[in-house]
Amino acid sequence: SARTVALHAVAVAALRRQDTRQKEDRIASGGTWANPHGLVFTRPGGDPVSADETRDALDRALLAKKLPRVTFH
């Protein structure tokens, strides 16, 4: 089912930047980009981002800000 969710302007801006990056990746792929599930966050070729990649990125971001590690789920 479809639902409307109110987002803060910062989140909307981040999603728009991600959409632009994804379009650039699609063009740069030379036609090999594939995202059959319509995912918002993908690897450069359109493949899904793995749970390990997501967890590692979160860990790096938290470490950079000197914040405690949290469980991502």
Side-chain angles (χ1 to χ4, degrees), residues 1 6 12 14 21 34 39-40 43 56 59 63 66 68:
S1 66
V12 171
R21 277 192 296 269
L39 301 173
V40 174
R43 299 179 78 210
D56 290 346
D59 287 345
L63 183 64
K66 298 182 180 172

Side-chain angles (χ1 to χ4, degrees), residues 13-66:
L15 288 169
R16 286 189 176 139
R17 284 191 307 273
Q18 175 60 18
D19 183 55
T20 299
R21 277 192 296 269
Q22 210 172 52
K23 287 175 183 170
E24 291 168 351
D25 287 345
R26 189 177 307 126
I27 291 166
S29 75
T32 61
W33 197 88
N35 182 4
H37 303 293
L39 301 173
V40 174
F41 297 99
T42 61
R43 299 179 78 210
D47 297 319
V49 179
S50 74
D52 288 340
E53 289 173 296
T54 302
R55 187 175 32 258
D56 290 346
L58 177 62
D59 287 345
R60 284 191 305 274
L62 292 171
L63 183 64
K65 297 295 183 180
K66 298 182 180 172

